[in-house]
Amino acid sequence: MSSTVAIVCKVMLFVLVLMSIISHVVIASTAPKKLQIGVKKRPSECPIKSRKGDLLHMHYTGTLDDGTEFDSSIPRGNPLTFTLGSGQVIKGWDQGLMGMCEGEQRKLVIPPELAYGEAGAPPKIPKSATLTFHVDLVKIERKDEL
């Protein structure tokens, strides 16, 4: 009888441990992921850093998790121009491009919550896609300098 009780206790303990592990995995997989910013090239001099309201001229290449390129300004030969922090681009860009120097290159890994969300941007960007951008800040224009 005592060996049966011991086996039942061990099984119950195993089930509790397993449930705990599963709950941690589920919580980790559903928790919002954070924006990842990697500086790939920093210029030796940086007289001006990007801030909210600046007009940025940015070359970029965007890829999906599997490496598929979905867009790039480079073949077009013209950088994308937009006002930082104004909502003209995805939130991951508005956050990930702050404090950049002209000539600086970064790699941004942007979770869906800061990109196109659950809907994606069909047909090129699937639902709930994490996006990777290699960006190169060509020029910063300040409003007071325009």
Side-chain angles (χ1 to χ4, degrees):
M1 176 92 172
S2 66
S3 67
T4 304
V5 171
I7 291 172
V8 169
C9 286
K10 287 180 182 179
V11 168
M12 289 178 65
L13 180 61
F14 174 76
V15 169
L16 287 172
V17 169
L18 188 59
M19 287 174 59
S20 175
I21 292 170
I22 290 171
S23 69
H24 284 264
V25 169
V26 169
I27 289 169
S29 66
T30 58
K33 295 178 183 144
K34 292 186 176 183
L35 171 66
Q36 297 174 41
I37 303 169
V39 177
K40 298 301 176 185
K41 178 185 170 193
R42 182 172 281 139
S44 57
E45 293 185 24
C46 183
I48 182 173
K49 290 188 176 188
S50 62
R51 66 182 186 206
K52 185 176 181 176
D54 286 343
L55 186 66
L56 302 187
H57 300 258
M58 182 76 57
H59 269 303
Y60 68 93
T61 299
T63 58
L64 303 174
D65 276 342
D66 66 2
T68 303
E69 185 178 303
F70 60 84
D71 193 15
S72 179
S73 65
I74 295 168
R76 293 189 290 272
N78 293 317
L80 177 67
T81 303
F82 61 95
T83 302
L84 186 61
S86 68
Q88 294 177 347
V89 293
I90 60 174
K91 289 179 184 178
W93 272 40
D94 272 341
Q95 294 175 19
L97 303 178
M98 291 284 187
M100 276 187 86
C101 304
E102 289 182 352
E104 185 174 332
Q105 296 176 1
R106 290 185 180 178
K107 177 183 177 183
L108 305 178
V109 180
I110 304 176
E113 297 81 14
L114 298 176
Y116 296 99
E118 291 181 18
K124 291 189 174 187
I125 300 173
K127 297 177 180 181
S128 300
T130 296
L131 306 179
T132 299
F133 286 94
H134 293 273
V135 296
D136 183 358
L137 181 52
V138 177
K139 183 178 179 183
I140 300 171
E141 290 183 55
R142 284 267 145 85
K143 281 192 174 185
D144 57 334
E145 295 174 355
L146 293 177

